[in-house]
Amino acid sequence: MIPAFPIRIPGFRAAMISLLLVAGLGACAKPPATHPTDAAYDPYEASNRKVHAFNRSLDRSVVRPAGRGYAAFMPDDIEDGIGRFADNLSIPSAVVNNILQGNMKGATEDTYRFLVNSTLGLLGFFDPATELNMPAATDADFGQTLHVWGAREGAYIELPLLGPSTERDTVGRVVDLFTNPLSYWLEDPESYYPTAAAISSGLSNRGRYSATIDSILYESADSYAQARSLYIQNRRFKVEGGTAGAYSDPYDSPYTDGLEDPYDQ
């Protein structure tokens, strides 16, 4: 008999909401013809800066201390393992998006990587796929899928808690909440493992890369403009399949030390 996987009705309801969001992409802000194509389109800058100030305040008071404490408390080997575990659990979502993009090569490679690391790698805590010289994970997401389908980037948006985004990527993030098959196949409480692992990995990264992140948020002359520039540059590089000609290392940028952000209230 074919095993019956549990399918949750709320998931279908959420998927329908996601489809409505995708349908609303046509309303994404369109830059004027005179707007430079290599610059972020930011018609909501005033409200974005207020959200950025909130995010900075939250990072300073909660996220940064928690990340530093987590990185200091957790042994590096365990941090690495949790990060690999989180990455592995995200691969099924990437497989779905690769299929939606018509990238069957990427879908196949991601599937093989997931199977190898989920078995030989003990659910992904280890990474034998890399040791076997298998292709790296594609990390495909629904924002990329929308790009492939021809949806325009839309306006730049800074989201509360989540940080930099665009109108297209915001829709993509919502849809990606429901594109991982594991969320429908796993029973509670196992269905929460991907989310818990992602949060733990995020705290680990905040602690490990604290100096770099702090230089952007607290040491640049205008942290909002700096974060926006880095996000748009990195994001366009990714959605274009890593072929952007003018791409440079986002952390290889000069920062002005000792200056207060003029928009930090």
Side-chain angles (χ1 to χ4, degrees), residues 1-9 12 181-187:
M1 293 180 59
I2 298 176
F5 295 107
I7 298 180
R8 299 169 184 160
I9 297 301
F12 284 107
L182 293 179
S183 63
Y184 303 102
W185 293 346
L186 296 176
E187 295 281 4

Side-chain angles (χ1 to χ4, degrees), residues 70-213:
Y70 182 90
F73 172 78
M74 195 70 67
D76 289 345
D77 289 344
I78 296 180
E79 277 193 275
D80 292 340
I82 292 175
R84 289 190 293 263
F85 177 65
D87 290 343
N88 191 58
L89 292 181
S90 71
I91 289 180
S93 179
V95 172
V96 172
N97 277 296
N98 276 311
I99 293 173
L100 293 175
Q101 295 170 26
N103 181 12
M104 301 312 297
K105 179 176 183 289
T108 301
E109 291 174 350
D110 277 355
T111 299
Y112 287 150
R113 169 173 280 272
F114 178 73
L115 292 175
V116 168
N117 281 352
S118 296
T119 53
L120 300 179
L122 303 179
L123 301 180
F125 284 100
F126 300 96
D127 186 15
T130 296
E131 296 177 7
L132 293 172
N133 295 318
M134 298 179 67
T138 62
D139 295 327
D141 57 56
F142 200 74
Q144 281 181 297
T145 300
L146 292 172
H147 170 75
V148 171
W149 289 355
R152 60 175 174 259
E153 183 178 80
Y156 175 79
I157 300 174
E158 176 137 0
L159 301 172
L161 304 178
L162 299 178
S165 187
T166 62
E167 289 178 317
R168 181 178 64 200
D169 287 340
T170 298
V171 172
R173 286 184 176 188
V174 173
V175 175
D176 274 330
L177 294 174
F178 314 111
T179 56
N180 194 328
L182 293 179
S183 63
Y184 303 102
W185 293 346
L186 296 176
E187 295 281 4
D188 293 338
E190 288 83 359
S191 62
Y192 298 105
Y193 288 176
T195 300
I199 293 173
S200 296
S201 180
L203 283 177
S204 175
N205 289 337
R206 184 59 182 93
R208 285 186 163 187
Y209 307 116
S210 182
T212 298
I213 297 172

